[in-house]
Amino acid sequence: MAENGVHLISTDEMTGIQALERAYPTKSMIPGEVKRIEFEYIRHGTLSLIANWDIFKGQVIEPSIGPTRTEIDFANHITKTMDTDPEAGWIFMVDQLNTHMSESLVKLVASCCHIDIDLGVKGKKGILKSMKTRWCFFKRPNPSHSFCVFAQTHLLVKPD
């Protein structure tokens, strides 16, 4: 697939990463003593990491680090990733976290794949009504995109 201009990406989040700073510098080794790392630290809150593993290249591409992990954060991360190669096709393998079936992601997929239909209203009607209806949107066959279930993972293909 990599040679056909399609990126195969495994994407996941790590939340609650503590941003810590050592309160005192590490003491260097001196003859007869071991290096000593001070145990006290200063907390600077937590961060969330959203990372992509490029399956074919075997490397992380376009990670996002921020204070939150919302559906908007995830959709922006996917957009930022696709912007690295806008002419390519993209397959994102993600788990079934709610942000991976969000209103924002449905709108992004519809836009990228030129799906010009009424998506409905979140919580009220149509594709956007519920997690279940959004999940069905990603699963159903469509000539302009496919979103398939593979065990606990789903794949999103953005056509060129």
Side-chain angles (χ1 to χ4, degrees):
M1 264 196 230
E3 65 276 359
N4 295 333
V6 177
H7 298 276
L8 177 58
I9 306 296
S10 176
T11 302
D12 205 1
E13 298 89 359
M14 178 177 275
T15 61
I17 301 170
Q18 291 188 33
L20 304 176
E21 174 187 6
R22 295 280 175 200
Y24 304 101
T26 298
K27 295 184 179 178
S28 300
M29 289 191 320
I30 57 175
E33 292 189 26
V34 297
K35 179 179 178 178
R36 293 184 288 179
I37 300 174
E38 294 293 330
F39 66 92
E40 290 186 56
Y41 56 86
I42 302 165
R43 291 178 188 245
H44 294 288
T46 58
L47 295 172
S48 292
L49 166 69
I50 306 173
N52 300 308
W53 181 258
D54 186 309
I55 303 298
F56 295 115
K57 292 180 181 176
Q59 64 187 30
V60 173
I61 63 166
E62 283 305 306
S64 298
I65 299 174
T68 60
R69 183 210 60 197
T70 65
E71 72 174 80
I72 300 296
D73 295 329
F74 187 73
N76 288 341
H77 172 79
I78 296 298
T79 300
K80 182 176 92 164
T81 303
M82 291 190 306
D83 285 347
T84 64
D85 192 356
E87 301 303 315
W90 292 88
I91 301 173
F92 290 93
M93 295 186 294
V94 296
D95 59 23
Q96 293 182 15
L97 185 66
N98 59 353
T99 57
H100 303 159
M101 293 179 271
S102 69
E103 174 187 23
S104 301
L105 192 59
V106 169
K107 289 179 176 180
L108 174 64
V109 170
S111 173
C112 290
C113 297
H114 311 291
I115 299 170
D116 189 23
I117 59 173
D118 179 14
L119 298 173
V121 178
K122 185 175 180 178
K124 296 191 180 195
K125 67 175 185 157
I127 293 166
L128 296 177
K129 181 178 180 179
S130 67
M131 295 278 285
K132 184 177 180 180
T133 57
R134 293 189 295 269
W135 176 240
C136 289
F137 167 77
F138 291 127
K139 287 191 339 183
R140 75 176 185 201
N142 187 300
S144 62
H145 83 287
S146 71
F147 203 84
C148 311
V149 177
F150 180 75
Q152 289 294 316
T153 305
H154 39 269
L155 307 174
L156 165 64
V157 179
K158 176 188 175 278
D160 356 46

